[in-house]
Amino acid sequence: MAKIPLVFKVNGEQQEILVQPYQTLLSALRDELRLTGTKEGCSNGNCGACTVIVNGRTADSCLVLAAEANGAEVTTVEGLSQNGQLHPVQKAFMKYGALQCGFCTPGFLLSAKYLLDSNPNPTEHEIRLAIAGNLCRCTGYDKIVRAIQAVAQAEV
Amino acid sequence: MPKYKYLGKATQKVDALERVTGKAAFGADIHLPGMLHGKVLRSPHPHAIIKAIDYGMALKLEGVKAVVTSKDLPSLEDARASFGGEVSIDQEHLRKLFLAHDKVLFEGHPIAAVAATSLEIAEQALELIKVEYEVLPPVEDAFKAMQPNAPLLHPYLYPKTLGQKPKNPGNVATIMFHERGDAEKGFAEADVVVEESFETAMVHQVYIEPQVDAAQVEEDGKVTLWTANQGIFNVQSQLSSILNIPLGSINVVPMEIGGGFGGKIITYVESLTIMLSQKAGRPVKMVMSREEVFKATGPGSPGYFTIKVGAKKNGKITAAYIKMIHDCGAFPGGPTPMASLVSFGPYNIPSIKVDGYDVVTNKPRVQAYRAPGGTPVNFSVESTMNVLADKLGVDPLKFRMQNYAKEGDYMVNDQRYNRIGVKAVLDRVVSSSHWNTPWEGPNRGRGMALGFWIGAAGTSSALVLINSDGSATGVSGQVDLTGTRTSTQQIIAEELQMPLEKVNVKVGDTDSTPYTMGSFGSRTTYSFGTAVYRASRDALAQMKARAATQLKVNPEDVEYAEGRFWSKKDPEKAVSWNEVARSTITRGEGVVTGRGTVTGLGHAPEFTAQIADVEVDPETGKVYVKRFTAIQDAGLAINPMQVEGQIQGGVTQGIGWGMSEYYYYDKGKLRNASFLDYRMPTSLDVPMIDIEIVEVPASEGPYGVRGVGEVSIVPPPAAIAEAIYRATGVRMNKLPMTPEAVLWAIKTKDKEREPVAANGDS
Ligand code: FES
Ligand code: FES
């Protein structure tokens, strides 16, 4: 099969690459652009490790065809810090110990950012709902929820 | 004044920054020039004889660079020769586990592997490999396996047992009989005796990162392997023995590891990757899919238990008996020995009898899963203790207060406990806000349970380099699972009395670091921490000697604190740490490298008490865990934030084990090999997990540290089962306690007790 052109913005930067018609956005990011911060845990939309923000909304990039992202704006974990400044959710995850192995972390950070952008003052339940699509096996979620609460309460 | 400056502090995780920015390099992030992609052909059958494999067509596919099968392995004879004429049965099993030789023993058992220029081509190539099978009936569970006419997995397998070798081979891998005291007499003395049976399911560790590795074999045969395993030196020795390559010719490079929990100690795809790279002459990378991980790595063993406990009217236990059967999957190596040790561990019981069996079946060979064997047996024993307490009319906490084990008491294996904290955790239950806050109302209940894990020690080593600017670098081959770098930094800073920022920590490969055992068995902070402590002390002693030369005094006369050496006799005579460090690269005895190594520390047992509050929906059977507290003896929590986090993770895994996780096999085939169908807890399934750390110093090792990684997973199912009983009046004797199972138990409560479908599917 012939590759098809994909023109999109990743973390604010214009990218023009060729992708296979069957290639996922996850694979385009990881294998073509070598943005390996986005992780693959299941390849079928169940673990959330591959969460990115596409046109302002979170998506499991393993379920999005790369070609579908043509013209889109994509934010990955690599795009969270701006001008050498960590995003508050990144700071909070570090400060409150919201990560252990860290494999799930990029996905959680993007889900958290999306939640806080749309709802700056979430309840504990709203936080848990917002990250329910992200699996973490190390932390039991406690410190992740607390880190997100801390950002909402500007305690980072 | 606090005892320590850097220990016992919630310092920030050393490697947190690279993890929140996406820069940490995990196994799958590796990319080598000219790299090929590997893929494994796996058996669709759980039990079959391999008659023929034809991969001619696959090789012809454009882009395919190599195909390997068991024929490409060095012969067992060669391996035998290099091991001095002995290949232990375990080594043979290790070979046959990662690649089927003549027989398929579980669904997903590797048959062949392909390396190609792209993953898609490799996948296509798998479809072109023709395998002729003679399909055999699968041995589906431990009970069927033990029947006299059951099909045999290994025609040469005789049970490992003390005493005579049985006449005929079978599917029983290990038989264990053990008795301390006189159980029969103990039961005769009891006023009340209860007997209960339990069953638990096969579950998976569910590290979120699938197994992955990359291998590069040079023209001279030297191998470099990048992998995300819990121990680089155990990988090196496994590969050396399987592939008959000298240990020193294999360099294992640790990538960041996305969770292990015991499941990433053994190698699965590593040997295949190396074989493919050998054949293709190019680097090869192999990533397992989630389905492959579920089907063909090593889950935790399911167990079947019968437990009998007797006590006097006054509540004192007189005797206990346990019979346990563990299904260990396709090869021997189940958790029966550890489970027997854990079983009655929290109690002081004069007479104990244990009958244990490890049995092989046509399932993936089980592996360690956090306190391996602990959770199922604890669920069974703690539930039985609660039944007994109930019969005696005492509250479960009081009952435990009467029977807990203390220093000097015997463990099940006849060794004596050194200093332990069972009483300390029980005392904390008594004073905890959770226990003292009423939890009342319809369909609500509270349960508590004790948990025990012995923990390992093993061999560890570390280096501490003193750099010319006075900073220090801790170097080792200790894989950082959940915070080893951080505790290493804290220990070095403490011993060298320097700020954390001046201490770097580096995890190196097998070529550049001294041997250290892997990160498992709660041993890392305990044993490896001891090595780091010793290396720091060694570095400090060497620095003192160099300072002594500069101050022209005897080394014994040199004092050190906070970056400054001085003469005891003449405190005016002083030199700074940084000056001494600077001088090491130009004169005197040269550069300072502190060395620390340790073997065989004694045990530092871990104990915990956990409290669960639940609310049960009587309409659906769904159990909501509303509050959970884990009280754990950490000896000394080097980093309380990390300790809490590890306990919270373990508790959550225990909740999943208790309530929703199970392997659903149907005729030997796994039907729920995805996260959608295998339900591990999400953020909505658990409450905040409250942690209370108590500190009863361990008998050995510096600072009194105990391992903390494992015991937290042990009691959650038992605590929750007791809470469900208090809420509904039904006792759940089978895991997982799914809504279907709980509902069924509630609906049939008043009828004669029928077996509960643990799977919730019948
Ligand atoms: S990898 Fe996309 S959801 Fe798991
Ligand atoms: S930190 Fe390991 S999976 Fe979340």
Side-chain angles (χ1 to χ4, degrees), chain A residues 98-105 108 135-139 144, chain B residues 208 258-259:
Chain A
L99 64 147
Q100 287 179 38
C101 78
F103 192 79
C104 67
T105 308
F108 273 96
L135 297 178
C136 174
R137 194 60 155 176
C138 300
T139 64
I144 295 177
Chain B
I208 306 297

Side-chain angles (χ1 to χ4, degrees), chain A residues 22 30 34 36-37 39 41 46 77 90 94 99-101 109 128 131-132 136-143, chain B residues 12-13 19-20 26 28-29 31 120 204-206 290 369 644-645 648-649 652-653 661 681 683 686 689:
Chain A
Y22 51 78
R30 286 183 54 85
R34 300 273 159 80
T36 53
K39 300 299 177 204
N46 293 330
V77 66
Q90 291 174 306
M94 290 172 68
L99 64 147
Q100 287 179 38
C101 78
L109 291 171
R128 289 188 179 274
I131 57 171
C136 174
R137 194 60 155 176
C138 300
T139 64
Y141 306 103
D142 183 303
K143 293 191 188 305
Chain B
Q12 189 166 295
K13 191 172 162 63
R19 281 165 164 70
V20 298
F26 289 84
D29 301 338
H31 187 95
E120 292 70 30
H204 198 273
Q205 299 86 355
V206 196
R290 181 55 54 183
Y369 176 18
E644 281 175 20
Q648 288 164 335
T652 303
Q653 286 181 319
E661 297 182 30
S683 51
V686 287
I689 314 284

Side-chain angles (χ1 to χ4, degrees), chain A residues 109-149:
Chain A
L109 291 171
L110 289 156
S111 292
K113 173 184 156 44
Y114 173 66
L115 167 71
L116 293 168
D117 284 350
S118 45
N119 175 5
N121 247 316
T123 62
E124 182 189 333
H125 183 75
E126 285 169 337
I127 293 173
R128 289 188 179 274
L129 198 61
I131 57 171
N134 294 84
L135 297 178
C136 174
R137 194 60 155 176
C138 300
T139 64
Y141 306 103
D142 183 303
K143 293 191 188 305
I144 295 177
V145 174
R146 288 180 202 275
I148 298 171
Q149 284 175 332

Side-chain angles (χ1 to χ4, degrees), chain B residues 401-421:
Chain B
M401 277 297 197
Q402 278 179 288
N403 290 291
Y404 66 82
K406 353 174 239 321
E407 181 168 358
D409 285 350
Y410 284 101
M411 290 188 256
V412 175
N413 68 358
D414 298 342
Q415 286 179 22
R416 282 176 193 269
Y417 279 118
N418 52 20
R419 197 183 302 124
I420 54 172

Side-chain angles (χ1 to χ4, degrees), chain B residues 304-337:
Chain B
Y304 307 88
F305 307 87
T306 299
I307 291 164
K308 199 167 131 183
V309 185
K312 290 285 209 195
K313 264 203 219 85
N314 66 9
K316 193 77 195 101
I317 303 174
T318 58
Y321 166 73
I322 180 166
K323 177 181 174 185
M324 59 182 123
I325 299 171
H326 285 106
D327 175 347
C328 44
F331 296 97
T336 290

Side-chain angles (χ1 to χ4, degrees), chain A residues 26 39-51 60-63 133, chain B residues 208 675:
Chain A
L26 174 62
K39 300 299 177 204
E40 181 165 19
C42 71
S43 330
N44 55 12
N46 293 330
C47 77
C50 65
T51 305
D60 288 332
S61 61
C62 70
L63 291 187
Chain B
I208 306 297
F675 282 140

